């Protein structure tokens, strides 16, 4: 793991810490900014692109908030575990963790989907969340407090043609979240499975997958989900009091059609 | 319909209007207070108990907010329709409607459930929502704007022994909400189906059903859902921007167990 | 109720009895023929068209099997209850009941759906099943034996635009079935909710709704579900032993797309 | 891979071939016997215990039917692929494949679940099915014909405490099945996801997990699902004609309670 925990970060006493695993230019980045502006020290974590990571950290600090950046490859052993240990020892106990790693690889037929691709989908989509939970939730239990927000996708609730890897990874993610919730809710840990049911205004991921023309067309159609709006809902969920907590909800643009009424968004793109 | 639209209410120009159908001492009342404190003119509506209704209205006005009270029996013809017409002509266009009428009648075996009971369950649980939607949503469409928040229950997603009337009514409610959303979301109307998955701190309904002893025991167990906390989530949902809207979510106490992991709450009480 | 219990029917001792409510030219008629050829005395019941009913009865008898016909309007009081009492006293105890009344009315927007239409949808879609269950299941319980097969539709699991009445009625039907199963399975009663997820080769209902041209086009597309094939699955379900019983399953043509992958079939027609 | 394709097996011309992956003493073995007695050449496959495998093959042959046995470890590379190639070249084209590998490991808290255990759950529960499908379905497509029956579990539709590995593996399995069905149904391939929602009379697996006393108690309670009864339903599903096919169904003892009405069966054992 390469990391830079930013020793010169303006760490304040008693600032709560939020970890965002998968803090790119879409939902992850927007959630980081929202929690930073709400008073959290946010730890942004992504696999690659150190300069984009540094830019995101710098932008948050320029707004007067606290942020640290981490490069971490969740498909490699010990990376997640080391990062969490480092954050908790040098920055503070993680109060909110956001697991925002996607596993979408576009439309690939069964024949086109290699064993390696399918396994990588699982490593990022399911196993990485298990590793984060196994490492972090016991720590949260000792503190009787903690929130785990899991970004998920249509593929968690509906398999589509060409989505073998993605659907298997996300179906596993959803059921793992249910299992974590069943074991930990009564200990004060709030697990939420968020079904992001539509394309997101994320130039890094969807933008690259679609190419500039299709992405621009999608933007003007008002079908795209705005990460900033999503971040407001993440913030709300993270602060629901113990007496009225949500485990699962869906999010989509009002111009879009829910998964149960529509064909695959991937097919439509 | 007996109503008292409170001519002396401090109606302000451009104040948005929220209608709460089923504004008793539980979720309905708390939602009314939350929207009133957020700047809405709230219209509280309940079937009976004029003095409790007047007290709720008075309390909100004492806090400097706007409220009107309506007595309305949703099992009678034209009552819903007349009330909506009256509100829209004398108070203003309804921007947010909350359908909060329950149809829970406790545990009744099939043999004990009369035709009349089953029909009343449908009239309040399903048909009343249809009537509200049919009357109000076309008005909202003309204004390109409007929110319909529907309180629902575990029985909308899971049938239990002794819940024939309730489950049929709520199962109909959920699918009706899906149908309304499918027809109206792209017109700017936000429909939300909220699965309240557990007993609510509502002295009026659950308290009366259980009796004081069981209700007090439940209160000390921290299993009860706090209506004030629920109201915060209703407020959040009503203000999600068009680019990231929720259709369905669940709510329960962290001490409780989700419906998919547990036996019927009614059986447990 | 007008009925003709066919005094001259070749009633044999110990012949099990199957009641098919909604025995038209689609699934109901095919199920009647399948159970008749399997040794049941089948009681065919439909709302109207005495000559079609008589033809169906005659056809079954011509094949050497036992059948009786009943005209019964499930939207009227006491009709269901009187028919069941008559069958049980004159023909024999009903071992298998098939509830096959549909409530599909084609695409009707919310504005086009009258209160009367919505109520009739519920009377046939939900309340009729409740009445049948309330009348018949306690009799079955005394015999420690009985099967209730409920034909259902995509609209039981997914609401669509223009399906307000149908979705509410079928959503209620599904949850009622769950509630009945929860109360009666351990008493030996087998309740099955069958999601017929696609258009059926039923000239009486779909054929009339679509008109001859569209219906013929659909037939040649191999998208239509064959009632005879459905009847084989109903037969299998009715004879699952107590140690491995199904509550819910779906059925569609292999050329069709499941509801979770597709837009509304009604919209596609 | 160690295998013994039984050169002396009485292979008849035009006998259809059924492959059962996970042919132990429970559902797999019973399904093998049912398809053998129905005229299939059955290929029984299990990870270990060559003598039990030989006994099962011998028993089927003694009844005059065709069977071959294979030892295959689905957690190892190339084993599945080699076995399928061998069967298709030496015995004949596989018409029906049954994926019956379980991934249940009993109750293990998150802390007790090692990375290795979680990964093995996925290798057997999800990845093995992907490998079988990727290898076999394109062959079936060329023949315009083929059936894939997938045994699944409550954990595919509901996560429980102590079921992190199992729920993630089975949740992935279910969504993968949906994705396979979405891509292949219209090509004539019938994929079925069978939710075995309760403990099975399987001495090999459940018996060993519970120990003799608990298993005997369970047997006398009539809560156990009988593999022979399950096999009849698998037979029915494999022979549904193209015009009325099932993708998903549940199976349980009438004495048991469906997953949506009950707490975890594992917790109850």
């Amino acid at each position: 793991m390469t990391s830079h925990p930013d020793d010169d970060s303006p760490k304040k006493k008693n600032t709560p810490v939020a970890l965002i695993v998968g803090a790119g230019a879409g939902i992850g980045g927007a959630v980081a900014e929202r929690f930073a502006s709400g008073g959290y020290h946010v730890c942004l974590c992504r696999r690659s692109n150190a300069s984009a990571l540094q830019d995101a950290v710098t932008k948050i600090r320029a707004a007067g908030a606290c942020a640290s950046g981490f490069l971490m490859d969740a498909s490699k052993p010990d990376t997640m575990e080391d990062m969490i240990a480092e954050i908790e020892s040098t920055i503070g106990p993680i109060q909110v963790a956001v697991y925002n790693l996607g596993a979408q690889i576009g439309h690939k037929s069964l024949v086109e989907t290699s064993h390696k691709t399918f396994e990588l989908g699982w490593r990022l989509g399911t196993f990485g969340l298990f590793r984060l939970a196994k490492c972090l939730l016991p720590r949260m239990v000792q503190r009787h407090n903690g929130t785990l927000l899991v970004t998920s996708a249509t593929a968690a609730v509906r398999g589509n043609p060409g989505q073998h890897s993605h659907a298997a990874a996300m179906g596993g993610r959803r059921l793992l979240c249910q299992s974590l919730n069943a074991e930990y809710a009564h200990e004060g840990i709030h697990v939420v499975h968020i079904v992001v049911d539509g394309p997101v205004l994320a130039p890094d991921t969807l933008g690259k997958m679609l190419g500039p023309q299709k992405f621009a067309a999608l933007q003007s159609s008002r079908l795209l989900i705005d990460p900033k709006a999503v971040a407001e809902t993440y913030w709300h969920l993270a602060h629901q009091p113990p007496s009225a907590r949500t485990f699962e909800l869906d999010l989509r643009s009002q111009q879009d059609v829910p998964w149960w009424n529509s064909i695959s968004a991937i097919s439509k793109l």
Side-chain angles (χ1 to χ4, degrees), chain A:
Chain A
M1 182 180 70
T2 312
S3 78
H4 49 114
D6 316 279
D7 300 327
D8 56 340
S9 156
K11 174 80 182 85
K12 294 168 200 148
K13 277 205 173 166
N14 298 321
T15 305
V17 176
L19 165 64
I20 291 94
V21 179
I27 290 175
V31 169
E33 292 187 20
R34 180 62 185 86
F35 278 71
S37 78
Y40 283 75
H41 184 127
V42 291
C43 298
L44 291 84
C45 158
R46 59 186 295 168
R47 187 175 58 82
S48 59
N49 200 341
S51 73
L53 178 62
Q54 189 53 51
D55 289 352
V57 168
T58 302
K59 185 181 172 198
I60 290 172
R61 290 185 184 171
C66 301
S68 305
F70 296 82
L71 288 176
M72 191 271 291
D73 184 344
S75 70
K76 300 276 165 56
D78 300 328
T79 50
M80 181 82 74
E81 294 76 9
D82 290 349
M83 182 183 69
I84 289 171
E86 184 178 343
I87 292 171
E88 293 238 329
S89 67
T90 64
I91 301 178
I94 297 167
Q95 190 163 319
V96 175
V98 178
Y99 192 80
N100 190 53
L101 291 185
Q104 178 59 273
I105 50 168
H107 187 288
K108 274 200 194 305
S109 74
L110 183 63
V111 170
E112 292 164 342
T113 310
S114 69
H115 286 197
K116 199 178 150 187
T117 294
F118 193 84
E119 178 163 345
L120 184 60
W122 170 77
R123 288 209 177 273
L124 298 178
T126 316
F127 189 49
L129 174 61
F130 171 75
R131 285 169 58 194
L132 180 140
K134 185 172 163 64
C135 181
L136 184 57
L137 266 50
R139 295 168 183 259
M140 287 177 165
V141 166
Q142 288 191 318
R143 306 189 285 254
H144 308 294
N145 193 287
T147 299
L148 173 56
L149 304 175
V150 181
T151 306
S152 194
T154 316
V157 284
R158 188 258 299 270
N160 284 315
Q163 291 279 296
H164 309 288
S165 162
H166 195 217
M170 290 295 155
R173 180 181 287 194
R174 180 172 182 249
L175 271 284
L176 175 57
C177 286
Q178 284 193 4
S179 194
L180 294 171
N181 176 66
E183 194 163 307
Y184 284 104
H186 67 99
E187 306 257 27
I189 311 305
H190 188 191
V191 179
V192 193
H193 181 257
I194 303 154
V195 181
V196 177
D197 182 31
V200 177
L201 178 47
D204 268 17
T205 49
L206 186 68
K208 281 185 189 161
M209 201 172 88
L210 294 179
Q213 272 191 314
K214 274 193 176 179
F215 191 63
L218 211 54
Q219 266 185 280
S220 62
S221 70
R222 292 186 297 155
L223 281 171
L224 287 182
I225 297 172
D226 179 2
K228 283 190 203 308
V230 171
E232 286 300 324
T233 290
Y234 277 51
W235 176 266
H236 176 73
L237 292 165
H239 299 93
Q240 286 181 319
S243 71
R245 288 186 166 172
T246 294
F247 170 74
E248 190 167 71
L249 77 169
D250 50 359
L251 284 170
R252 71 186 61 78
S253 161
Q254 76 168 25
Q255 292 304 316
D256 205 350
V257 174
W259 65 263
W260 57 86
N261 289 119
S262 67
I263 57 168
S264 164
I266 287 290
S267 316
K268 283 185 295 186
L269 293 178

